[in-house]
Amino acid sequence: LTPIDLLQKMVNWQVIQHNFTIISGWSLRQILQSMRHHPKIKITSPDCNIQSIENKFFAGSNTSSIEGMFWPDTYFYTAG
């Protein structure tokens, strides 16, 4: 699709929206597990593991828990 064609589809609601829900109280392990099992989410980063994520988030941060950094909600996205 050209950018104009894509914009037209979006304006006319011709895109398929998928969702991903983060449940309140989920640990980072549960969030990643749910993402890995979601049929429309493809994890391509080799750094998508608990240790790598914690290292990136905690570098220079005074946050004691990474789970509080992921807002429980349903997120909508277009696949691809």
Side-chain angles (χ1 to χ4, degrees):
L1 291 175
T2 67
I4 297 293
D5 291 338
L6 179 59
L7 185 58
Q8 283 294 328
K9 287 186 175 287
M10 291 171 67
V11 168
N12 294 320
W13 292 93
Q14 294 176 331
V15 293
I16 297 173
Q17 291 287 297
H18 302 281
N19 64 59
F20 177 74
T21 301
I22 296 176
I23 308 260
S24 180
W26 267 7
S27 67
L28 178 58
R29 184 177 308 280
Q30 289 170 305
I31 293 169
L32 290 175
Q33 182 179 16
S34 182
M35 287 178 72
R36 286 187 181 103
H37 289 99
H38 194 285
K40 295 294 180 180
I41 294 178
K42 180 179 179 184
I43 297 175
T44 59
S45 173
D47 293 337
C48 194
N49 61 62
I50 291 173
Q51 189 62 46
S52 293
I53 292 171
E54 285 180 342
N55 288 342
K56 288 177 185 175
F57 274 93
F58 289 137
S61 173
N62 59 3
T63 304
S64 61
S65 172
I66 195 166
E67 279 79 12
M69 299 179 88
F70 294 94
W71 191 255
D73 204 344
T74 297
Y75 297 88
F76 293 91
Y77 64 94
T78 303

